Structures are given as structure tokens and as C-alpha cells.
Amino acid sequence: MQDLITKSPMQESATPGISKEKPWPFICANIIRKHDGEVGVNSVSGQGSTFWFNLPK
């Protein structure tokens, strides 16, 4: 799951089933980081994933 926010959508995905045609998590993560924020994902197999972010005030 972490590949969704760390790898360019044009690179081969190391995670089977993750489409290179859906770059939105990567794009959003880059925007958040450019504003000195943090972004991450917590994932539990079979239970889903939670994407989170923090931006400075």
C-alpha cells in the first residue's frame, strides 16, 4: 500500500493489483509534502486501508 504514495504512477508497481493508471494518491502525497506535510497509509489485509495526512498550521 505504501507504494501508492511513494512511487510514481509511471513506475512499475511492486504491489500486484495496483493500477498505474490511478495516480491520485501519489499526486496528493506530493502536494502535501510540498506544503511541509506528512502523509501515510495504514493497511490491514482483509480489513481495508486508512490514508492519513498532517499539514502544518
Side-chain angles (χ1 to χ4, degrees), residues 15-34:
T15 307
I18 301 299
S19 172
K20 294 187 299 180
E21 298 170 7
K22 297 181 180 173
W24 295 112
F26 178 78
I27 292 169
C28 292
N30 276 339
I31 292 169
I32 292 166
R33 288 187 189 114
K34 291 205 184 277

Side-chain angles (χ1 to χ4, degrees), residues 21-50:
E21 298 170 7
K22 297 181 180 173
W24 295 112
F26 178 78
I27 292 169
C28 292
N30 276 339
I31 292 169
I32 292 166
R33 288 187 189 114
K34 291 205 184 277
H35 287 87
D36 297 322
E38 298 177 296
V39 62
V41 61
N42 299 323
S43 182
V44 178
S45 182
Q47 293 185 15
S49 302
T50 301

Side-chain angles (χ1 to χ4, degrees), residues 5-23:
I5 59 175
T6 58
K7 287 193 171 198
S8 168
M10 299 317 230
Q11 296 174 349
E12 282 297 321
S13 175
T15 307
I18 301 299
S19 172
K20 294 187 299 180
E21 298 170 7
K22 297 181 180 173

